[in-house]
Amino acid sequence: VFLGIGISVVVLAKLFDILLRWNSFIVMGFFIGLILGGVRQIYDEAHSKKINVASVISFFVAFGMIILLIVFGKLREGQGLEYIDVNLANIILVFFLGMAASITMIVPGVSGSALLIVLGFYTAIVSNVVGNIFEFGSIVYNLEIIIPFAAGAALGIILFSRVIEYLLKHFKSQTYYAILGFIIASVIAIFFEIRDPASAVDFTAQTPIYQNFFNYIGSHVWTVLIGLVTLVVGFFTTKYLSRL
């Protein structure tokens, strides 16, 4: 499993970096479709137990956590990071980002990519480090980021898998409703990260389309249509994989 994850991340990281620079509306549409494709399955699991007040509360708490991340992310000055200064504080930060990303691998339907995008570290970790793993001129910097991130991811999977197992066994409905809250909020989060490629070359420097949404939609009709197609493709991809 780890080998499969590692190969796919290394192979696809650079590709997605290029695609995000080219047109994030189309790429993010695919991401959103992938996430939405799992909603029905999670919803059915949640409804296998009777809904109660605790389930509703867990949904809104999970949803609210991601919305707060969006709000604080938009209030934070600057754009998403491209490179991380290597110091003790940032190494610890990268370690905990690895733990957070690993948790999304365990929780059904929650995207680790979406989390890193919202937090502003997707480009710095996935595109510019993992995607450039074979650029030996920067091998020292790459390892300084990858090693703590991978260590955090491994520890997160080991620790949190037991927590999720316990929660699903004893609080199944509440847990699945919380997952639904994460999923729906992450779709909103990804939408806020869609950017206009005409505004700059680098993805992190591009202007988010929500700042002038209707003007963007009106002047990029074909992009919007193709983005909707990729959303549908992502949706049915997840539906097909869920059946498998």
Side-chain angles (χ1 to χ4, degrees):
V1 171
F2 273 110
L3 181 62
I5 292 171
I7 291 173
S8 67
V9 170
V10 169
V11 171
L12 294 176
K14 196 62 180 178
L15 173 62
F16 273 102
D17 177 45
I18 295 170
L19 291 175
L20 283 173
R21 292 167 185 253
W22 166 66
N23 195 307
S24 60
F25 191 100
I26 293 173
V27 178
M28 296 296 196
F30 182 68
F31 269 116
I32 291 172
L34 285 174
I35 294 171
L36 290 178
V39 168
R40 179 57 187 269
Q41 184 183 15
I42 303 299
Y43 179 80
D44 289 342
E45 291 285 356
H47 265 60
S48 64
K49 297 282 186 178
K50 187 176 181 180
I51 187 172
N52 51 45
V53 175
S55 300
V56 175
I57 291 174
S58 65
F59 172 88
F60 283 106
V61 168
F63 181 86
M65 287 172 62
I66 301 299
I67 297 301
L68 283 175
L69 277 178
I70 300 172
V71 172
F72 284 121
K74 298 309 169 189
L75 292 176
R76 184 183 61 205
E77 293 184 1
Q79 300 155 331
L81 293 176
E82 292 194 33
Y83 294 95
I84 299 171
D85 293 331
V86 179
N87 54 53
L88 180 59
N90 282 341
I91 288 175
I92 294 173
L93 172 63
V94 170
F95 176 83
F96 281 107
L97 285 171
M99 288 191 69
S102 73
I103 291 170
T104 65
M105 297 178 195
I106 299 168
V107 177
V110 181
S111 168
S113 299
L115 177 66
L116 291 177
I117 288 170
V118 172
L119 296 176
F121 288 95
Y122 183 88
T123 299
I125 294 176
V126 179
S127 300
N128 291 342
V129 173
V130 180
N132 295 325
I133 190 63
F134 296 116
E135 290 189 8
F136 296 105
S138 56
I139 188 67
V140 174
Y141 170 77
N142 290 344
L143 290 175
E144 287 173 333
I145 300 300
I146 288 176
I147 290 174
F149 187 82
L155 182 61
I157 288 175
I158 292 169
L159 295 178
F160 204 71
S161 60
R162 304 296 295 179
V163 175
I164 286 291
E165 181 184 10
Y166 177 84
L167 291 174
L168 287 175
K169 184 177 181 180
H170 297 279
F171 305 98
K172 183 176 181 179
S173 177
Q174 294 92 325
T175 303
Y176 275 113
Y177 270 100
I179 292 170
L180 276 175
F182 282 128
I183 292 174
I184 295 171
S186 69
V187 169
I188 298 172
I190 290 179
F191 168 78
F192 276 100
E193 292 302 322
I194 298 175
R195 300 167 185 261
D196 184 359
S199 59
V201 175
D202 292 332
F203 172 70
T204 53
Q206 293 172 4
T207 304
I209 67 168
Y210 74 85
Q211 295 181 3
N212 200 357
F213 178 70
F214 292 106
N215 182 61
Y216 180 87
I217 295 297
S219 58
H220 297 80
V221 176
W222 280 108
T223 296
V224 173
L225 291 176
I226 296 171
L228 292 175
V229 170
T230 60
L231 187 152
V232 172
V233 170
F235 180 89
F236 283 103
T237 298
T238 300
K239 293 280 285 186
Y240 176 72
L241 291 174
S242 296
R243 284 198 294 268
L244 289 179

